[in-house]
Amino acid sequence: MRPIPRFFQLFSGLSLDVVVGAMASLYFFQELLHLSLEWPVFGLLGLAVWTIYSLDHLLDTKKMSHTSSARRTFHLKYRTFLGWGILVAVGAGLGGAWFWMGWGKEFQLTLILAFSMAGCRWAIQKFGPILLKEVSIALFYLVGTIWLPLLRVKAVDLSWEVLIFAVLFFVVALLNLWMLSLLDREEDRHDGFVSLAHVYPPQQLIQWIQRLSFVGIFTSLAAFILLPSFYRPFSCILLLMFLVHYLTFFQSQLPVTQKRQRMELAFWIPWLLLWI
């Protein structure tokens, strides 16, 4: 394998594409709420996201001896190394949060949120319907990226426009999960996992994806046209994210691996705000 494709395979296997996307999402809400967060905060979010995704994949492979999924194969092969990496990441994250936040209200509320999300995630996986699982993951993604900006924002900068963009971000995260559920349908079936694509007919799920995509695209366009000029860059960012997901998913000639990569990279688009 050539060095560059191998690097990107390793980058994706380690879920670093998701980490960079989460940090870009935090930057989106930082700019939307007129904040200037310290860069170590982005690192702390990256550690948290990497820990959650890596632990989730390790738990998936706990009882496996082989798998057809490239990402699960990576975690199955390197699970000992990744297990130690998770322990180091948790220690570094808690130590870094203590150093940058101190034992104050911000740190305490963040810990409460983390334990609450973990408890909800466990309860939904054990007792909740599969649709609620997908919705909760998208909601947790939104809450995780907007949480610290909400704790630090001034009351004057909170408005109903911010709620619109938060809802749109939730929608694009949910759309991403539904699309990946369909793309990974056969791999999940082979590995013994039940996803949304196994509970609902594929054609019905495709209709949901189309409708949700159109809602996101047209709402982003409406926000661009109707909201004050300050919000136009954010409307454009979300519009691009929706278009990348929609055009990638429905491009039949594109291999599944490339579709997954492009949809994960769509969450990098908010970094464009650095140059706006």
Side-chain angles (χ1 to χ4, degrees):
M1 185 180 294
R2 294 180 179 179
I4 293 179
R6 186 174 183 180
F7 169 79
F8 281 110
Q9 185 182 44
L10 178 63
F11 196 82
S12 177
L14 286 169
S15 301
L16 295 178
D17 49 351
V18 179
V19 169
V20 176
M23 293 165 68
S25 303
L26 174 59
Y27 189 80
F28 178 93
F29 289 112
Q30 168 191 276
E31 296 298 299
L32 182 64
L33 294 171
H34 304 91
L35 293 170
S36 182
L37 301 175
E38 306 92 341
W39 280 102
V41 170
F42 289 82
L44 291 175
L45 176 67
L47 284 172
V49 170
W50 184 83
T51 299
I52 292 168
Y53 270 76
S54 297
L55 182 60
D56 191 51
H57 286 304
L58 283 183
L59 291 175
D60 284 347
T61 61
K62 188 175 181 181
K63 297 181 180 180
M64 288 183 179
S65 57
H66 65 280
T67 174
S68 59
S69 166
R71 189 163 293 200
R72 292 191 187 119
T73 298
F74 180 88
H75 284 77
L76 187 63
K77 184 177 180 180
Y78 299 106
R79 55 186 169 188
T80 301
F81 171 79
L82 290 170
W84 283 106
I86 289 171
L87 290 176
V88 171
V90 170
L94 290 174
W98 177 281
F99 179 80
W100 286 102
M101 297 181 187
W103 184 248
K105 183 178 178 181
E106 200 173 80
F107 188 31
Q108 293 170 23
L109 288 174
T110 301
L111 284 178
I112 292 171
L113 175 70
F115 284 115
S116 300
M117 289 170 64
C120 289
R121 175 86 169 129
W122 176 83
I124 290 169
Q125 280 193 318
K126 286 288 185 181
F127 311 109
I130 194 70
L131 181 60
L132 186 57
K133 175 186 173 183
E134 306 287 351
V135 171
S136 66
I137 293 173
L139 182 61
F140 292 161
Y141 182 88
L142 169 66
V143 172
T145 52
I146 200 175
W147 178 251
L148 197 56
L150 283 181
L151 289 181
R152 296 190 178 185
V153 67
K154 296 177 181 178
V156 69
D157 291 322
L158 279 176
S159 62
W160 61 270
E161 290 94 346
V162 172
L163 178 61
I164 290 176
F165 288 106
V167 171
L168 282 172
F169 225 98
F170 165 77
V171 171
V172 77
L174 184 61
L175 189 65
N176 177 273
L177 292 170
W178 285 1
M179 288 178 171
L180 291 179
S181 177
L182 264 177
L183 293 178
D184 296 339
R185 185 167 179 261
E186 294 305 319
E187 286 185 356
D188 287 339
R189 187 194 302 279
H190 179 270
D191 293 339
F193 293 96
V194 178
S195 69
L196 196 69
H198 300 134
V199 176
Y200 296 92
Q203 194 57 43
Q204 181 180 356
L205 194 51
I206 288 174
Q207 289 178 352
W208 289 1
I209 287 171
Q210 287 176 327
R211 291 169 184 171
L212 199 63
S213 298
F214 291 148
V215 167
I217 290 169
F218 288 118
T219 305
S220 299
L221 280 171
F224 179 85
I225 296 169
L226 300 175
L227 294 184
S229 59
F230 169 77
Y231 296 104
R232 286 178 181 170
F234 304 99
S235 304
C236 289
I237 292 295
L238 281 163
L239 178 60
L240 284 173
M241 293 174 71
F242 278 112
L243 287 174
V244 168
H245 274 86
Y246 183 81
L247 295 175
T248 298
F249 182 77
F250 288 103
Q251 189 173 347
S252 58
Q253 302 89 349
L254 204 63
V256 171
T257 53
Q258 290 187 28
K259 287 186 177 185
R260 170 183 279 276
Q261 288 171 357
R262 291 188 184 185
M263 288 191 291
E264 294 296 352
L265 290 175
F267 285 90
W268 293 28
I269 293 175
W271 287 125
L272 291 174
L273 291 170
L274 283 167
W275 294 278
I276 295 177

